[in-house]
């Protein structure tokens, strides 16, 4: 989910193969240990990630699947179209995730994973890896912390943190709110803050409709430009299976 052009980094390539191999092993091990396979497909008016658009405000089609074992280990693959700066020639993104998720105490759950962002259509190496951890309380409140030694496809460190909450209204409607801070001083000599507020309607299984308002501070506009940062509205229709 990088927006700018950085130099090539050969060290990231083995991580892609490790992620693919791990997901393959999870899938092959489904017979030995009970496992579940889930997936989703989404149509959205704008692909917004950490407050910034990844498609320059254009619509996006996204899909992914996840294989999870009873022990909590899982692997997933997710993809979307993207549109970055013209010189990157980026048109697609594929994310590979290996992790573990489960309860660690009453009302507390933890999800830790390694996430690999790949952009196969680019003429340069924008791929990068990130370590993520999310602690959730009572399934409705969460704190996320992420670290990358090659943030946004650079050779520099980046740290992202987010706090969020969901407020169920009834079985069909809920409100979600989140605020995040992305420390990118090593990459851009600047960092930024963003927030989002969503209204979600579970139309009818497996469909869900989401309307989200996104906002970033002026630092995000200084880093990425007005066409990528700022205020925007995103509407999405998702099917889960």
């Amino acid at each position: 989910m990088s927006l700018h052009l950085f130099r090539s980094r050969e060290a990231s390539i083995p991580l892609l193969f490790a992620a693919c191999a791990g997901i393959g092993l999870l899938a092959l091990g489904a017979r030995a240990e009970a496992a579940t396979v889930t997936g989703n497909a989404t149509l959205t008016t704008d692909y917004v990630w950490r407050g910034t658009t990844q498609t320059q405000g254009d619509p996006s089609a996204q899909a992914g699947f996840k294989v999870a074992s009873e022990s909590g280990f899982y692997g997933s693959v997710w993809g979307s179209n993207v549109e970055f700066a013209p010189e990157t020639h980026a048109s697609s993104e594929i994310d590979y995730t290996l992790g573990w998720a489960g309860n660690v105490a009453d009302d507390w759950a933890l999800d830790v994973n390694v996430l690999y962002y790949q952009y196969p259509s680019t003429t340069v190496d924008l791929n990068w890896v990130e370590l993520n951890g999310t602690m959730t309380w009572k399934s409705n409140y969460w704190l996320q912390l992420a670290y990358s030694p090659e943030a946004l496809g650079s050779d520099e460190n980046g740290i992202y943190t987010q706090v969020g909450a969901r407020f169920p209204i009834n079985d069909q409607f809920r409100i979600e709110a989140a605020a995040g801070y992305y420390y990118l001083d090593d990459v851009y000599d600047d960092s930024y803050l963003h927030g989002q507020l969503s209204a979600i309607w579970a139309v009818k299984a497996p469909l869900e409709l989401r309307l989200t308002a996104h906002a970033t501070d002026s630092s995000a506009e200084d880093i990425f430009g007005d066409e990528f940062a700022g205020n925007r509205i995103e509407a999405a229709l998702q099917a889960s299976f």
Side-chain angles (χ1 to χ4, degrees), residues 61-229:
Q62 306 166 350
F65 75 90
K66 176 180 178 181
V67 179
S69 68
E70 286 186 335
S71 58
F73 291 98
Y74 68 89
S76 67
V77 177
W78 180 90
S80 175
N81 60 292
V82 297
E83 185 179 356
F84 298 159
E87 62 269 23
T88 66
H89 301 285
S91 62
S92 61
E93 172 188 337
I94 303 175
D95 298 347
Y96 302 88
T97 307
L98 286 175
W100 179 89
N103 294 325
V104 292
D106 290 343
D107 298 327
W108 292 91
L110 177 66
D111 185 336
V112 289
N113 61 71
V114 179
L115 176 57
Y116 184 83
Y117 302 91
Q118 185 191 28
Y119 304 92
S121 58
T122 59
T123 55
V124 294
D125 182 10
L126 298 179
N127 307 333
W128 59 292
V129 67
E130 186 176 63
L131 306 177
N132 285 274
T134 302
M135 182 69 76
T136 304
W137 180 58
K138 292 189 174 181
S139 301
N140 287 324
Y141 307 92
W142 66 87
L143 171 64
Q144 177 190 2
L145 181 64
Y147 165 77
S148 175
E150 45 189 32
L152 300 180
S154 70
D155 287 323
E156 305 295 342
N157 297 323
I159 299 174
Y160 177 76
T161 184
Q162 183 188 97
V163 292
R166 60 177 56 90
F167 306 97
I169 299 174
N170 53 40
D171 291 340
Q172 286 188 303
F173 293 94
R174 70 181 186 275
I175 301 295
E176 293 185 1
Y181 184 79
Y182 209 166
Y183 177 84
L184 294 171
D185 281 20
D186 291 345
V187 184
Y188 295 112
D189 294 322
D190 206 351
S191 301
Y192 75 93
L193 179 71
H194 79 94
Q196 61 191 58
L197 180 65
S198 301
I200 298 99
W201 175 29
V203 182
K204 185 178 180 181
L207 298 178
E208 186 173 87
L209 183 63
R210 181 180 69 245
L211 184 65
T212 304
H214 298 272
T216 66
D217 63 8
S218 58
S219 293
E221 298 180 30
D222 293 338
I223 294 172
F224 303 115
D226 294 344
E227 67 272 31
F228 290 102

